Amino acid sequence: MPGSPDDGSTVVPMSSPHLLAPTHPTGAVRLRPGRERSVERRHPWVFSGAIASVHGDPAPGDTVVVEASTGDAIGVGAYSPASQIRVRMWGVDPDLAIDDALIAARVTAAAARRQRLLDPAAPAPTDSARLVFSEADDLPGVIADRYGDTVVVQLTTVGADRFRDATAGALAALPGVATVFERSDAEVREREGLGPQVGLLRGTSPSADLVAHEGPWRYAVDVAGGHKTGFYLDQREARAAIPRFAAGARVLNVFAYTGAFSVVAAGAGAASILSIDSSEPALAIAARNGELNGVDIGELKVADAFTALRGLRDRARQYDLILLDPPKLAATDRQLDKASRAYKDLNLLALKLLAPGGVLMTFSCSGAMSAELFQKVVAGAALDARRTTRIVGRLGQPEDHPVPLAFPEAEYLKGLIVTAD
């Protein structure tokens, strides 16, 4: 519980004059000496260990005033007593009114910032993009992805959950939107004391034939049952890079999901493609994606990636282009050691399968793993594989997944393009 002796803070009756502010906060959180610097530098998280006392009796998702150790108000945020991130900042103005109008305005502004990407006249036109990216758009816990006329929203925090209707209404009001569907079923909600929420929020039910368009490619999107919101929009730059290496190549796509990498490789003239994923339904959609684009994406194999890679190694198979895009292996810092070993094993196996002169495109989407650490892990794998390797490119999040300078934690996706002698 917040303010209990186990976190070293105390709970006292609410006495702050900021209760009269337009936000009508239900409490205040006073920070320990020196811990206000992070908030003043516009970092959006306040951890439980930074809190000296909690004033009043704020409920999950309530707006609270954040105070420096001196008692001076330095901002407002959403209170989350079940999470180590005890407060997620809405802003550094303590008089900021946190209401439906503010949330709707921020959703609308975030979507407007993506208009350049969604412009039909863009060099690589697409009808699909991330419209809202949580803290990067001043909307902690709100993710919204657009696929044509359908928007899929995830609410991952108690603060975001409080404004479900305002968020859905603002998304539904965007030009051309016919459907707003909720996929708030990520495990991270458990750390906020929230259960899953899945279902239609506005408009008509999502089409079973929903397709995302990206340049010349078409990708089926499983809104109700797919990973995250149904498709990996964040790998747009990686898909664009594949044609440089795929022509005439023997391609191995590991953690293939619905086969978008395989579609692009096939379209670029790959000699052969093997796609591996543990999900049979995902590979069924991969097959459909091949058909949608009129390309042969080769062999689809339902298997555990580690087991399959070891089997290919034992059979001395070789590939010219290996695509290695595992799911998040480290959700928190505590999981980093275990995740690092798993990333190393995967990349070691991949490098043993890589033909001389071949290319490995390898990724980590674990926010807890820094780009520096990921590179060290891959370097360790190369050393154990006894391969001479070079980084010839880096990949990351596209422009609709921006990273605030004050919040480097938003940079979760790291990719390396590595060649091996």
Side-chain angles (χ1 to χ4, degrees):
M1 293 297 293
S4 59
D6 63 344
D7 66 11
S9 60
T10 59
V11 178
V12 298
M14 182 65 192
S15 60
S16 170
H18 296 290
L19 273 178
L20 302 177
T23 54
H24 301 295
T26 61
V29 168
R30 185 164 297 179
L31 304 182
R32 300 181 188 277
R35 303 305 289 270
E36 64 271 6
R37 294 172 186 168
S38 177
V39 174
E40 291 170 346
R41 292 171 179 169
R42 297 180 182 267
H43 194 282
W45 291 349
V46 176
F47 289 92
S48 60
I51 296 174
S53 59
V54 178
H55 299 244
D57 187 24
D62 277 2
T63 298
V64 293
V65 175
V66 177
E67 298 176 342
S69 59
T70 59
D72 295 328
I74 57 175
V76 287
Y79 187 64
S80 179
S83 173
Q84 285 190 336
I85 304 174
R86 197 57 52 87
V87 181
R88 286 177 168 81
M89 298 298 296
W90 290 119
V92 294
D93 178 1
D95 295 323
L96 183 65
I98 311 303
D99 53 21
D100 287 356
L102 177 74
I103 300 303
R106 288 185 174 183
V107 169
T108 302
R113 287 191 284 271
R114 274 71 171 183
Q115 279 306 304
R116 178 177 61 184
L117 180 62
L118 292 168
D119 186 346
T126 181
D127 62 357
S128 302
R130 175 150 292 181
L131 299 183
V132 182
F133 186 36
S134 198
E135 285 89 352
D137 290 301
D138 299 318
L139 288 161
V142 181
I143 298 291
D145 289 341
R146 181 167 187 167
Y147 307 106
D149 65 359
T150 299
V151 177
V152 186
V153 61
Q154 287 185 325
L155 306 174
T156 62
T157 66
V158 288
D161 213 66
R162 180 69 64 89
F163 292 101
R164 174 177 282 101
D165 287 344
T167 300
L171 291 169
L174 296 174
V177 172
T179 299
V180 179
F181 191 87
E182 182 173 10
R183 280 292 307 276
S184 299
D185 52 357
E187 291 183 4
V188 68
R189 279 175 64 91
E190 297 177 5
R191 297 200 291 271
E192 295 279 312
L194 297 170
Q197 289 274 91
V198 176
L200 183 67
L201 293 180
R202 295 288 191 280
T204 58
S205 296
S207 170
D209 298 320
L210 182 65
V211 170
H213 295 78
E214 189 175 278
W217 310 113
R218 303 172 68 201
Y219 303 111
V221 180
D222 183 2
V223 167
H227 294 176
K228 297 185 178 179
T229 65
F231 186 65
Y232 293 149
L233 290 169
D234 54 1
Q235 286 289 24
R236 184 183 300 111
E237 292 185 354
R239 289 188 287 272
I242 288 173
R244 289 156 44 195
F245 311 107
R250 297 164 292 177
V251 177
L252 174 62
N253 183 9
V254 189
F255 304 100
Y257 188 42
T258 56
F261 286 172
S262 298
V263 167
V264 177
S272 65
I273 305 171
L274 171 59
S275 301
I276 298 171
D277 199 275
S278 61
S279 170
E280 187 172 358
L283 290 182
I285 297 176
R288 183 185 169 206
N289 281 336
E291 295 170 358
L292 282 171
N293 291 280
V295 295
D296 180 3
I297 62 170
E299 182 182 355
L300 304 174
K301 184 178 181 63
V302 179
D304 170 76
F306 290 88
T307 302
L309 287 172
R310 292 187 184 101
L312 293 171
R313 176 204 60 192
D314 293 345
R315 296 195 296 275
R317 297 293 179 84
Q318 287 199 320
Y319 298 90
D320 307 300
L321 173 61
I322 298 179
L323 305 157
L324 196 59
D325 187 21
K328 183 188 296 184
L329 299 179
T332 66
D333 290 343
R334 294 178 182 177
Q335 299 170 341
L336 263 181
D337 286 345
K338 182 178 179 181
S340 294
R341 291 192 295 271
Y343 280 118
K344 183 178 179 180
D345 286 346
L346 286 169
N347 283 278
L348 173 60
L349 289 164
L351 286 165
K352 287 187 174 182
L353 293 167
L354 194 64
V359 173
L360 168 65
M361 293 175 63
T362 182
F363 301 90
S364 167
C365 65
S366 297
M369 173 165 281
S370 68
E372 181 182 14
L373 176 58
F374 182 57
Q375 181 172 327
K376 287 181 178 178
V377 168
V378 177
L383 184 64
D384 287 357
R386 299 182 180 180
R387 302 295 300 270
T388 300
T389 53
R390 298 173 181 84
I391 297 172
V392 297
R394 298 178 186 271
L395 295 164
Q397 296 158 218
E399 64 181 272
D400 51 340
H401 294 65
V403 179
L405 289 174
F407 185 54
E409 291 88 342
E411 188 175 8
Y412 66 93
L413 181 62
K414 284 78 60 174
L416 299 175
I417 304 176
V418 176
T419 62
D421 292 345

